[in-house]
Amino acid sequence: MAGVNKLDSDVDIDLASLFVSVWRKKGRILLGSLLAAGLAYGVAVTVSPKYNAATRILIETRESVFTRPGQDKADDKPLLDQEGIKSQVELIGAADVLRKVSIDNKLETLPEFDPALNMSLPKRILVLVGLVNDPNTIPAEERTLVVMRQKLKVFAVENSRVIVVEFSSKDPLLAAKIPNDIATQYLAIQQAAKNQSNSDATEWLGPEIETLQEKVKLAEAKVAAFRSQSDLLMGQNNSALATQQLSELSSELSRVRAARTNAEAKAENVRKLLEGGASVDTLPDVISSNLIQRLRERQVQLKAEIAERSTTLLEAHPTLIGLRSQLANLEKQIAGEGGNILNGLKAEASTAALRERELLNDLNGLKAESSRVGDEEVELRALEREANSQRELLESYLTRYREASSRSDGNYLPPDARVFSRALVPGEPYFPKKIPIVTAAFAGSLLLLSLIEMLKGLFSGRAFKPANRVMIADDAVSQVEMSRTAPDVQPEPSAVSVPSTVPEETRKPAPQKPAIDPEHTVKAICDRLVDRGASRAILVSPEGDEAAASAVLIARDLADRGLRSILLDLTSGGAASNPMVDGFALPGITNLLASQAQFRDIIHTDPYSAAHVIPNGTADPAVAMRAVERLPIILSALTTAYDIVIVECGPADASGIARLVTPGAEIILSVVDPADPSIVTSAAALQDAGYEDILLVTPVGSLAPTSEPGRSVA
């Protein structure tokens, strides 16, 4: 890489000169613009004016809620969607509509609509030589339709059911009449289509109704014949009589069985009590017996009388003996009455069992009859369904036929569209607009002529001037950005050239370049890093961005020696990495810390050497600092992949580089001006922190590496 490359041949565009040259030709430019405006005005005056008018049609259902067919009365919205609206647009511009309007207005007789009428002489010549087709070879009607389509514009308004019919003509009356006639003809065609559809429906429904009437009669006759043949008697709830009797008999059988079971249970209970000699007074049937109740009352009276007489009479008294005899007879009667009740319950159970057997016999007979009736009911229901379906279809056809006939007889079939804005006769032509045309011609010609003058200045070279570059010697950043095609050129003195027009006594002497210690050059520091086998070089630049160029020079020098070197830029402004990425904002270390990129996204190649670089990055520094603990891990990974990692820390202090220092790391202090107080302060702070072996490096006077530009790195 060369130290300095003078760019005396570089030029810049002198915009001031361009505008001055245009201003000098302002008279010519204005004159040309006025001529162009006058020519545009002449053309606008000679062109025949054209008028434009528009008719607006609204697509909607015109049926009233009282006249709409019954099945559609619940829906008042138009049935057409956007595709249906587009279809109506095509229908309005159909050939049948335009042909009818053309015939009604006799457009084929007007020269405006028939190009074969009153052809100009140039066009006749072109027709004769065969360059233009002869319009007379096309029928007059077709020629008129072609011209009408060119002048007609039919479109649907977006997100609406409004169709606009626009027409332009040289005659303002025709411009308004044609779209109105097209709309009228469209409505007439739509109404005729509905009339035709209604007539076709009526003609089809008539024979169908007659056929259905015969089918309904036949189906109902089959139902009646089958009912009489199968002896299907209908009971309540429209069910077969056998089925209804079977249901009633089943209910009666259940009741008889319950009564028999109850009687048997009561008889068994009474029998057990009588056999056990227990009292039957607790039995409900015994208690409910009137005779038992009277005997019990007499028994109570006798016991009371015996007790009363026993107080005055002896036990062997005949009265007491008689009373006791009567009491014994009463008890025998009560016991006998209990046996009678038992016999009655047995008889009741026997009667219920007999009734149950009779009901079972009847039930079995009804089951067979019900099975036969069920099979015949299936066939009967099938016949009834057929008859009902035919009857319902006939009724629906009759309803539709009556509706269609009434609408045809009353001639009430409104089209599903209406004209809500008819075209009016335009008062002003829409073309040509003289003021806009003249204004546009003047502005366009003014701009075009100005551009032509500018291009003349550019092509002639008068609009270029030499680039005014100030070469600053020994500026490290400038040396890094220099071209690498002149390796033998040495840095020029660090002074700004003073124009020769300045008096000799006012010129200030150029500042002298400070003496450079050979041990502190970039080459000497790189030799020391190689000799020590350093894996990491940590550079601190107390003077700021100007001293950060040492890191770039060290990385490139080590790469030219065959070492795999990478520069990690930790400065706030990216001063160290900008020369190696040509000033582009690329992803870097902040993007990696902020988890916005990976290693392969942040490592970039130096275009002037084999070194790699990780720039400052484009992520938010505040977000990146939240993950600063990952920085030592990142450096360890880079140390594994590269021979040496150069870390430019900028004006960092000892605490700032503490997490970056590891065994095998060298701390380098980058110096531009040794007299700068910040150098002494920073060096003392590093030594106080325990970093004794500190290397010094300066980018001043160092030659850049001599690799060729655009070198590719594997």
Side-chain angles (χ1 to χ4, degrees):
M1 178 177 178
V4 177
N5 182 19
K6 294 183 179 180
L7 301 175
D8 294 338
S9 60
D10 289 351
V11 293
D12 290 336
I13 297 177
D14 191 355
L15 296 178
S17 299
L18 281 178
F19 287 112
V20 168
S21 63
V22 172
W23 181 253
R24 289 174 181 173
K25 303 294 180 62
K26 60 181 180 296
R28 183 185 303 177
I29 294 174
L30 288 175
L31 180 60
S33 301
L34 291 175
L35 291 176
L39 180 61
Y41 179 77
V43 172
V45 171
T46 56
V47 171
S48 299
K50 294 182 180 181
Y51 298 88
N52 189 14
T55 299
R56 285 172 169 78
I57 303 173
L58 176 62
I59 305 298
E60 64 179 359
T61 301
R62 299 292 305 280
E63 289 282 3
S64 171
V65 69
F66 304 104
T67 60
R68 187 178 299 114
Q71 61 271 18
D72 297 335
K73 288 184 179 179
D75 188 7
D76 284 335
K77 295 183 179 179
L79 300 179
L80 292 180
D81 53 6
Q82 292 300 322
E83 288 75 12
I85 299 298
K86 293 180 181 178
S87 301
Q88 298 302 312
V89 170
E90 295 297 326
L91 178 59
I92 293 175
D96 292 341
V97 177
L98 300 183
R99 186 180 295 109
K100 185 66 169 61
V101 174
S102 174
I103 294 174
D104 293 343
N105 293 275
K106 299 180 181 180
L107 298 181
E108 66 275 4
T109 61
L110 301 178
E112 181 183 359
F113 295 91
D114 191 352
L117 301 176
N118 298 332
M119 282 195 301
S120 61
L121 181 61
K123 189 172 183 179
R124 293 180 183 275
I125 296 175
L126 293 176
V127 170
L128 291 176
V129 299
L131 296 178
V132 177
N133 295 329
D134 188 1
N136 292 312
T137 59
I138 304 174
E141 181 180 338
E142 186 66 24
R143 295 196 302 267
T144 304
L145 291 180
V146 171
V147 176
M148 287 185 67
R149 286 194 176 95
Q150 294 175 354
K151 296 176 176 294
L152 178 65
K153 185 178 180 182
V154 183
F155 60 92
V157 179
E158 188 177 0
N159 298 326
S160 70
R161 291 187 173 87
V162 175
I163 299 177
V164 180
V165 183
E166 289 186 355
F167 194 80
S168 60
S169 175
K170 297 178 181 179
D171 186 356
L173 297 178
L174 279 179
K177 190 175 187 302
I178 296 298
N180 291 332
D181 291 350
I182 290 176
T184 303
Q185 185 62 25
Y186 162 70
L187 297 179
I189 289 178
Q190 194 182 62
Q191 187 173 17
K194 294 186 70 174
N195 284 327
Q196 183 64 34
S197 177
N198 193 75
S199 300
D200 294 342
T202 305
E203 293 176 359
W204 177 79
L205 285 173
E208 286 293 323
I209 289 174
E210 294 178 359
T211 304
L212 279 176
Q213 287 176 344
E214 296 297 329
K215 290 182 179 180
V216 170
K217 291 179 181 179
L218 181 59
E220 291 179 346
K222 288 182 179 180
V223 171
F226 184 82
R227 191 187 298 275
S228 62
Q229 292 174 2
S230 60
D231 194 20
L232 287 176
L233 300 178
M234 305 304 294
Q236 297 178 355
N237 299 327
N238 198 24
S239 61
L241 185 60
T243 304
Q244 185 176 348
Q245 288 177 350
L246 181 62
S247 176
E248 294 174 354
L249 194 61
S250 297
S251 301
E252 180 66 17
L253 178 61
S254 298
R255 186 188 63 77
V256 170
R257 281 179 176 175
R260 177 183 60 80
T261 303
N262 188 26
E264 290 177 351
K266 289 180 179 180
E268 181 66 18
N269 190 19
V270 171
R271 185 185 64 78
K272 288 182 180 181
L273 290 175
L274 292 177
E275 290 178 355
S279 176
V280 296
D281 294 345
T282 58
L283 296 175
D285 294 320
V286 174
I287 296 174
S288 61
S289 175
N290 294 329
L291 180 58
I292 295 295
Q293 291 178 0
R294 288 195 298 272
L295 291 175
R296 286 296 182 187
E297 291 176 358
R298 180 58 184 164
Q299 185 182 20
V300 171
Q301 291 176 359
L302 287 175
K303 286 182 179 181
E305 188 176 354
I306 290 172
E308 182 181 358
R309 294 295 179 90
S310 296
T311 57
T312 58
L313 299 177
L314 297 176
E315 293 294 329
H317 193 275
T319 302
L320 291 176
I321 293 172
L323 292 173
R324 290 191 181 98
S325 176
Q326 292 179 11
L327 181 62
N329 291 333
L330 284 175
E331 291 177 353
K332 289 179 181 180
Q333 290 179 4
I334 291 172
E337 186 63 25
N340 294 333
I341 291 174
L342 176 62
N343 294 330
L345 291 174
K346 289 181 179 180
E348 183 180 354
S350 299
T351 303
L354 180 61
R355 177 61 179 164
E356 181 182 359
R357 285 193 296 271
E358 292 177 354
L359 289 175
L360 282 174
N361 294 331
D362 295 341
L363 185 64
N364 292 331
L366 284 176
K367 284 182 179 179
E369 179 66 16
S370 178
S371 177
R372 181 189 66 82
V373 170
D375 294 338
E376 293 179 351
E377 276 187 333
V378 173
E379 183 67 21
L380 179 62
R381 284 195 293 268
L383 295 175
E384 288 177 344
R385 283 196 300 270
E386 179 67 20
N388 290 334
S389 63
Q390 295 292 343
R391 188 183 304 107
E392 291 175 358
L393 183 60
L394 176 60
E395 291 175 356
S396 65
Y397 278 14
L398 285 172
T399 301
R400 293 173 182 267
Y401 182 78
R402 294 190 190 98
E403 291 177 352
S405 299
S406 63
R407 292 163 70 86
S408 297
D409 296 341
N411 195 21
Y412 182 76
L413 284 170
D416 293 334
R418 65 182 177 89
V419 178
F420 70 93
S421 178
R422 303 188 67 85
L424 301 177
V425 178
E428 295 182 358
Y430 81 96
F431 180 83
K433 299 290 186 181
K434 298 181 179 60
I435 294 178
I437 290 176
V438 172
T439 303
F442 179 79
S445 59
L446 185 66
L447 179 60
L448 181 61
L449 293 175
S450 300
L451 290 176
I452 291 174
E453 291 297 331
M454 289 183 180
L455 291 175
K456 287 181 179 180
L458 290 175
F459 291 145
S460 63
R462 296 191 303 270
F464 294 102
K465 65 179 180 178
N468 186 18
R469 292 180 177 264
V470 180
M471 310 304 296
I472 304 176
D474 292 335
D475 184 16
V477 178
S478 298
Q479 284 203 16
V480 174
E481 295 177 342
M482 288 179 185
S483 174
R484 311 190 64 186
T485 58
D488 297 334
V489 180
Q490 298 296 330
E492 296 181 357
S494 178
V496 180
S497 59
V498 181
S500 58
T501 56
V502 180
E504 187 68 22
E505 59 273 13
T506 60
R507 297 182 184 178
K508 296 182 180 179
Q512 297 296 325
K513 182 172 61 177
I516 300 174
D517 190 345
E519 294 182 358
H520 300 157
T521 61
V522 172
K523 182 178 181 305
I525 294 300
C526 290
D527 293 338
R528 191 171 301 180
L529 292 175
V530 173
D531 294 341
R532 295 184 178 182
S535 61
R536 188 179 301 178
I538 302 173
L539 279 80
V540 179
S541 303
E543 297 171 279
D545 295 343
E546 187 177 8
S550 299
V552 181
L553 298 173
I554 292 174
R556 288 176 173 173
D557 187 274
L558 293 175
D560 289 342
R561 298 187 185 199
L563 297 178
R564 293 175 298 175
S565 64
I566 184 170
L567 171 63
L568 176 58
D569 187 4
L570 297 181
T571 61
S572 60
S577 59
N578 283 339
M580 302 182 73
V581 296
D582 291 335
F584 293 103
L586 300 177
I589 186 63
T590 56
N591 299 91
L592 182 62
L593 291 175
S595 300
Q596 298 177 1
Q598 300 179 359
F599 267 108
R600 64 173 178 268
D601 302 322
I602 66 170
I603 297 177
H604 309 281
T605 303
D606 180 22
Y608 302 106
S609 69
H612 288 178
V613 59
I614 298 179
N616 184 270
T618 58
D620 187 1
V623 178
M625 287 303 294
R626 298 172 187 170
V628 72
E629 293 81 8
R630 296 169 50 195
L631 190 58
I633 302 175
I634 296 172
L635 286 174
S636 299
L638 293 175
T639 304
T640 304
Y642 291 86
D643 296 329
I644 185 169
V645 180
I646 298 96
V647 184
E648 175 56 48
C649 301
D653 54 6
S655 61
I657 65 173
R659 70 181 69 199
L660 308 179
V661 179
T662 59
E666 297 291 339
I667 300 176
I668 304 174
L669 196 64
S670 182
V671 180
V672 176
D673 183 8
D676 194 331
S678 61
I679 301 297
V680 179
T681 303
S682 180
L686 291 173
Q687 289 179 354
D688 293 340
Y691 304 114
E692 297 294 336
D693 190 7
I694 301 175
L695 302 179
L696 296 180
V697 67
T698 178
V700 179
S702 299
L703 295 178
T706 59
S707 300
E708 296 179 359
R711 174 178 176 179
S712 62
V713 180

